[in-house]
Amino acid sequence: MRCTSLLALAGAAAAQYRGFNYGATDNSGAVRTEQDFANEFNRAKSLQGTSGFASARLYTMIQGGTPNTVTSAIPAAIDTQTSLLLGLWGSAGEDAFMQELTALENAIKQYGTGFTSLIVGISVGSEDLYRVSPTGVENKSGAGATPDALVSYIQQVRSTIAGTAASGAKIGHVDTWTAWVNGSNAAVIEAVDWLGMDGYPYYETTVSNGIANGASLFFESYNATVGVANGKDVWVTETGWPYQGPTAGQAVASLQNAETYWQDVACRLLGNINTWWFTLYDPQASTSEISFGLVGSDLNSAPLYDLTCKNGNSQGSSAASASTPSSSAAAPTMPTSVADSKTLSIETTPNILSVPAASQTGSGKTMTVYSSTLVTVTSCLGGCPEGATTLATEPAAVSTVPAASATAPASSGSNCPTDLNGQYEYPHLIVPVDSQIPEKAYGTSYNGTINPTVSSIFNFDIPPSAAGKTCSLVFLFPSQKDLQTSAYTFNGKGGIKVSELTAPATEQTTYETIPASSGNVQTIASVAPGNEYLVFSHECGAGQRVAFDFSSTGGLDLSYFQDYNPSPIGAYVTVC
């Protein structure tokens, strides 16, 4: 049975932040400019039917398409006096995170107190713990970060802002609620000042997720997060309901349901809990594509539905300035009220329900699917019914990826496609090795690095279901302009030699200990952006872990972030 009255928070905050989420690029992949940010920040403040949306949550400190240039959202926020929940992307490895720190440090130096006075908090990472969970790996959600890595990043942020005008900023992390209630992630809770929770009942397809249950599902997940937060604030960093798109389980995307979710969830949160809604502006090329926007394709058009709070719900006062919010979060109005702030105890049993294989289509739209965790409530106000449980749903971002814009000669016969429109496997381990430092083990990497001294080994786990099928190793190298969440550096010359190895690499593999070649070697004589390359094709080694060493020929120097999001880049095994 579901115990819906999980927890209520005591206390009231005089002013809370409300805002929207803003990426470095828009849905077309175009980089947002300072004017783009300013236009959206101003529009958020003037929405008919509501008020006080004067805060912006960012995912990165870096301007799109640059190594570490400060995001143009900051001068736009200063000009429009929009408070900022800053974000540093934590899922691209240590080197990439250092670039985030560089941008943060430069922003403080460049903009001074005009910038730092607007900081609501700093989020180190976003859903990184989910992406390294078994469900995240199974659903190919991309690179994440371990608890130890995040704790290290959090410490580095504290060191970076120490002694600066931003030294008082509260540091947190954003993740799914099932990541928060997982005891293996407790070190992150200990390290942060606040917890950010992302929750989308629309995607919770393993439970009854029609709009009638939307609010109860959301507040159960919020309360469960509060229950493990050790008294720290829990902020709502993403939630919303789409007004168009496919049906997900029992959840229907429609204007009526989006308005209902706003009334039942937003109107209970706003002014009580720091909330960054998803989202203000989410235009799509087609009405069949999912969209969460409050306004349509015209940013300045009226909201798509009435944002005036009704049904006894009312929005509290929002933060009028960028001063630090109250340390005590007020309780949202729960589906069933509990007049006590007693913390509940939660035990989790992961992977109670199996997750269907992620399906891929050619739409290029990122979707989210959910698996379930059984949460046993062991302490409730007034006692829990025996065996009280609730299903905790965990999101798994599954990107449906179109082919790259330009291709190598098409495969035929026993070769599988050189795109990711069908079944494919991504590398579960990437290990760089260096001939100049042959004894050094670099461990795992999120980047493929191939140059005259460094090669990268890619491990793939071929599922038993691939028995009797053909597996093709492909290398995808799109043009820089087609990338949305990745980037690369390339010197514009040379090729790649690929050797199939007799054994997989480990995190301890060095140049001296590279497994022997199987003798199956192919060379891509000349590599150029905008192409897809077929390297090998043979019967799948079902149930086996296979490895390939990618090395430089002709002076090639290439480094890229392995990523399946549009357009996908790097080494993959396609199955047919």
Side-chain angles (χ1 to χ4, degrees):
M1 63 179 292
R2 177 174 287 119
C3 183
T4 57
S5 302
L6 296 183
L7 182 71
L9 290 174
Q16 297 294 326
Y17 291 90
R18 64 185 73 173
F20 298 103
N21 291 264
Y22 300 89
T25 60
D26 62 21
N27 286 345
S28 71
V31 173
R32 277 192 168 100
T33 65
E34 180 179 343
Q35 190 61 57
D36 292 332
F37 282 116
N39 290 343
E40 293 186 41
F41 294 168
N42 282 325
R43 182 67 185 101
K45 294 180 179 181
S46 61
L47 285 170
Q48 298 91 328
T50 188
S51 62
F53 279 86
S55 191
R57 177 189 170 219
L58 308 179
Y59 294 89
T60 177
M61 289 297 303
I62 298 173
Q63 179 69 5
T66 72
N68 56 23
T69 300
V70 176
T71 173
S72 61
I74 290 176
I78 294 171
D79 289 344
T80 60
Q81 284 300 285
T82 298
S83 65
L84 293 169
L85 175 54
L86 301 176
L88 283 76
W89 190 252
S91 286
E94 179 74 30
D95 290 345
F97 192 77
M98 291 302 296
Q99 301 302 317
E100 293 279 356
L101 289 175
T102 297
L104 173 61
E105 186 175 18
N106 289 342
I108 296 170
K109 292 177 180 177
Q110 182 175 353
Y111 296 106
T113 56
F115 160 52
T116 59
S117 64
L118 296 173
I119 298 175
V120 176
I122 301 175
S123 173
V124 178
S126 179
E127 297 191 8
D128 313 86
L129 297 172
Y130 159 70
R131 287 193 291 273
V132 296
S133 70
T135 306
V137 171
E138 181 177 350
N139 286 285
K140 303 177 181 177
S141 60
T146 65
D148 288 346
L150 287 173
V151 170
S152 174
Y153 293 164
I154 290 164
Q155 293 169 343
Q156 292 177 57
V157 171
R158 293 195 190 279
S159 296
T160 298
I161 65 175
T164 73
S167 60
K170 301 296 184 182
I171 298 174
H173 170 69
V174 170
D175 228 299
T176 65
W177 79 276
T178 45
W180 287 124
V181 302
N182 186 330
S184 65
N185 297 324
V188 179
I189 296 176
E190 182 66 25
V192 298
D193 302 316
W194 54 269
L195 287 66
M197 190 208 80
D198 292 352
Y200 292 94
Y202 169 82
Y203 289 120
E204 299 185 26
T205 57
T206 61
V207 296
S208 180
N209 69 328
I211 189 60
N213 293 328
S216 61
L217 287 172
F218 173 81
F219 285 115
E220 284 180 9
S221 63
Y222 179 85
N223 286 341
T225 304
V226 172
V228 298
N230 298 331
K232 298 179 180 181
D233 288 350
V234 177
W235 300 349
V236 177
T237 40
E238 286 184 36
T239 192
W241 194 281
Y243 72 87
Q244 69 175 39
T247 296
Q250 298 175 21
V252 176
S254 70
L255 286 171
Q256 180 180 352
N257 288 346
E259 182 174 358
T260 297
Y261 192 76
W262 176 270
Q263 291 292 327
D264 292 349
V265 177
C267 290
R268 297 176 183 181
L269 290 173
L270 299 176
N272 293 315
I273 298 295
N274 288 343
T275 300
W276 289 268
W277 198 258
F278 194 86
T279 191
L280 170 66
Y281 186 49
D282 192 24
Q284 300 294 345
S286 166
T287 57
S288 64
E289 295 186 70
I290 194 165
S291 179
F292 288 78
L294 295 188
V295 298
S297 57
D298 180 356
L299 176 63
N300 294 311
S301 62
L304 295 169
Y305 46 87
D306 190 357
L307 303 180
T308 306
C309 289
K310 307 168 185 176
N311 304 325
N313 299 322
S314 62
Q315 301 178 22
S317 61
S318 65
S321 68
S323 59
T324 303
S326 168
S327 61
S328 62
T333 305
M334 300 300 167
T336 305
S337 62
V338 181
D340 194 282
S341 60
K342 181 176 179 180
T343 301
L344 55 82
S345 174
I346 296 177
E347 297 175 357
T348 62
T349 306
N351 301 324
I352 295 299
L353 299 180
S354 61
V355 184
S359 61
Q360 303 291 327
T361 71
S363 69
K365 178 64 185 174
T366 298
M367 301 290 291
T368 303
V369 297
Y370 283 74
S371 70
S372 293
T373 297
L374 188 68
V375 175
T376 302
V377 181
T378 58
S379 174
C380 295
L381 178 66
C384 292
E386 183 177 355
T389 62
T390 183
L391 283 175
T393 53
E394 178 170 305
V398 179
S399 182
T400 57
V401 188
S405 58
T407 65
S411 60
S412 60
S414 60
N415 298 329
C416 297
T418 55
D419 57 43
L420 304 187
N421 287 335
Q423 182 182 351
Y424 70 92
E425 298 297 323
Y426 68 98
H428 286 174
L429 183 68
I430 305 174
V431 177
V433 294
D434 189 344
S435 62
Q436 290 190 331
I437 314 177
E439 72 285 356
K440 182 172 182 178
Y442 289 90
T444 186
S445 174
Y446 297 123
N447 282 27
T449 302
I450 309 166
N451 63 44
T453 65
V454 177
S455 63
S456 289
I457 303 171
F458 297 79
N459 282 3
F460 295 89
D461 294 298
I462 308 302
S465 60
K469 297 182 179 180
T470 296
C471 283
S472 293
L473 177 69
V474 300
F475 184 74
L476 310 182
F477 192 23
S479 298
Q480 192 87 252
K481 65 180 177 62
D482 295 324
L483 297 174
Q484 294 186 20
T485 56
S486 183
Y488 60 79
T489 59
F490 177 46
N491 66 348
K493 66 178 182 179
I496 298 175
K497 176 183 175 182
V498 183
S499 300
E500 187 169 10
L501 304 180
T502 56
T506 70
E507 292 185 11
Q508 289 72 47
T509 296
T510 68
Y511 183 82
E512 290 180 338
T513 62
I514 297 175
S517 172
S518 68
N520 194 6
V521 179
Q522 294 289 342
T523 298
I524 305 171
S526 179
V527 171
N531 286 286
E532 301 169 343
Y533 299 95
L534 174 67
V535 184
F536 296 122
S537 282
H538 50 60
E539 184 176 350
C540 294
Q544 299 179 27
R545 179 168 294 167
V546 297
F548 303 90
D549 179 44
F550 281 60
S551 59
S552 168
T553 66
L556 176 137
D557 190 338
L558 171 65
S559 180
Y560 66 90
F561 175 53
Q562 174 89 20
D563 189 11
Y564 63 84
N565 284 300
S567 285
I569 183 172
Y572 300 88
V573 171
T574 58
V575 182
C576 61

